[in-house]
Amino acid sequence: MKNKYIFMMLSACALMSSCQKNASSVQTPQENQPVHLTLTAAIGGNDTKIAYVDEDNVLKTKWEQYDKVSVFSLDISGNVLTNDVFTATSVSADGKIAEFEGDFSNHAEAKSIYVYYPALNQGKGTEEDPWHVAPVYEGAEGVLNGVTAGKTYLTFNTAQLQKSLVDCTSHLEQYTVMSGKAEMDEGNLLADLEHRSYVLKVQLNLPQSGLTVKRLTISAKSEADAGVRVSGSGWTDIYSVGAFPGGWDSSYLINFGTDYANDSGTGLLVEGNTLTTYIVAFAGRSWDYVAQETTWYHLTTGDYFSFTLNATTDGSDSYICTLDKLVIPKDVVLENGKMYRLSATLEKEQAE
């Protein structure tokens, strides 16, 4: 197949200013006596979760009532002691501050408290059944998983499934991640949650209309054709922000369909010849084997993306769309809490 060199504009949408905290006062609980507490959580920016509307180059979002977060208590070494799930009971008018209520374990050995969205409300915190976010489809892992009492680890999972092409942002709340350290203030918990994820908006022109799309892979590569780190995956420490010592991804991947089977989504029909999708990724830092040092994820002038879209025609015949090279014209440092835009025109893969 012949190479195509198409330049892109990769633009980042800046965050708005963070919200102020407020809280009502309750008595400070005694250690080792579980108590019902209020957590006041402020979102750190304007394009986080949860009701997504793509407007003026920013994902407009807000908390919603009944959202859930995990409140982790850690010991002096950062090991998890308890995981308490809190539920949003009231939300500010602009949606940036929410009050969550839940039963706080108040472990006597707790030295720090960390809050994570989405809540890891599945599992028992054991090696056999660790705490995890509910998976989107059977056989998958939730976006956050692998948390065990007595350990420091938490695992990020980047596998994603988009279930609609009409409401193409509805899946984002399943994969967007926020976290922050909480403090006890007169018996209440207060936390400012930071973005732990960013969003890539992808707009594709397809070779023909009426394709049923199943799986999109966008690989990031250097001029030397080596993989470029664009998203964290694998384990990290719960108390760490942006560090992924346990792995990373050099590609973006999203599946399409109401379910997942045979290594891809079951498929969604594209009425025309344009496809829009939003992919969540996790910016951070990990070991760079080329630079031989730990660096933050970034794209360098001359790096490029290659595309493979697995689809079918008439629901059965395989139809693969590709683009070999979409060259990056400038240096980009990938930042959590931002949205980046990517446009490309794909061609049908030619049989050899």
Side-chain angles (χ1 to χ4, degrees), residues 20-38:
Q20 298 296 316
K21 298 180 288 186
N22 60 23
S24 57
S25 177
V26 298
Q27 290 185 350
T28 302
Q30 296 181 9
E31 292 178 341
N32 277 337
Q33 293 185 9
V35 65
H36 195 78
L37 286 186
T38 296

Side-chain angles (χ1 to χ4, degrees), residues 189-202:
L189 290 171
L190 305 178
D192 283 325
L193 300 191
E194 299 180 20
H195 303 260
R196 297 295 302 276
S197 53
Y198 68 94
V199 175
L200 182 69
K201 180 181 181 180
V202 183

Side-chain angles (χ1 to χ4, degrees), residues 63-64 66-70 85-88 100 116-119 121:
W63 284 116
E64 290 184 342
Y66 307 121
D67 285 340
K68 296 181 184 297
V69 296
S70 276
V85 176
F86 281 48
T87 303
F100 295 77
Y116 270 80
Y117 172 87
N121 57 359

Side-chain angles (χ1 to χ4, degrees), residues 280-302:
V280 177
F282 311 108
R285 59 187 182 275
S286 54
W287 181 254
D288 186 335
Y289 287 101
V290 176
Q292 286 293 294
E293 61 180 345
T294 297
T295 59
W296 192 268
Y297 303 157
H298 62 279
L299 299 166
T300 304
T301 304

Side-chain angles (χ1 to χ4, degrees), residues 122-335:
Q122 307 289 308
K124 300 177 181 178
T126 63
E127 293 284 353
E128 297 75 21
D129 189 14
W131 286 306
H132 59 278
V133 173
V136 176
Y137 54 88
E138 187 176 354
E141 291 183 323
V143 63
L144 301 175
N145 58 83
V147 176
T148 302
K151 302 288 182 62
T152 66
Y153 307 128
L154 176 147
T155 299
F156 281 66
N157 177 39
T158 55
Q160 295 169 49
L161 179 68
Q162 180 174 325
K163 295 186 176 183
S164 171
L165 296 181
V166 177
D167 184 4
C168 54
T169 61
S170 60
H171 64 290
L172 294 181
E173 65 181 285
Q174 306 286 342
Y175 307 110
T176 300
V177 176
M178 295 185 292
S179 71
K181 188 175 183 180
E183 302 292 343
M184 188 74 73
D185 181 24
E186 296 183 347
N188 271 340
L189 290 171
L190 305 178
D192 283 325
L193 300 191
E194 299 180 20
H195 303 260
R196 297 295 302 276
S197 53
Y198 68 94
V199 175
L200 182 69
K201 180 181 181 180
V202 183
Q203 294 177 296
L204 300 177
N205 295 316
L206 307 181
Q208 71 175 57
S209 61
L211 293 177
T212 297
V213 294
K214 291 189 171 184
R215 182 184 180 100
L216 172 65
T217 304
I218 305 173
S219 298
K221 299 180 181 180
S222 68
E223 289 184 289
D225 294 328
V228 175
R229 298 161 303 148
V230 293
S231 182
S233 66
W235 68 265
T236 184
D237 294 304
I238 282 184
Y239 51 81
S240 177
V241 177
F244 287 98
W248 64 87
D249 290 326
S250 58
S251 61
Y252 302 101
L253 171 65
I254 191 162
N255 296 282
F256 303 94
T258 56
D259 205 348
Y260 184 90
N262 301 320
D263 296 324
S264 74
T266 51
L268 295 175
L269 176 64
V270 181
E271 297 292 346
N273 65 343
T274 59
L275 171 66
T276 299
T277 183
Y278 295 80
I279 304 174
V280 177
F282 311 108
R285 59 187 182 275
S286 54
W287 181 254
D288 186 335
Y289 287 101
V290 176
Q292 286 293 294
E293 61 180 345
T294 297
T295 59
W296 192 268
Y297 303 157
H298 62 279
L299 299 166
T300 304
T301 304
D303 291 346
Y304 66 92
F305 290 126
S306 64
F307 297 74
T308 301
L309 176 65
N310 296 89
T312 60
T313 56
D314 301 323
S316 57
D317 294 334
S318 177
Y319 191 107
I320 300 176
C321 308
T322 62
L323 174 63
D324 289 343
K325 281 195 174 182
L326 184 66
V327 180
I328 297 167
K330 63 179 182 180
D331 294 353
V332 179
V333 176
L334 298 170
E335 299 181 55

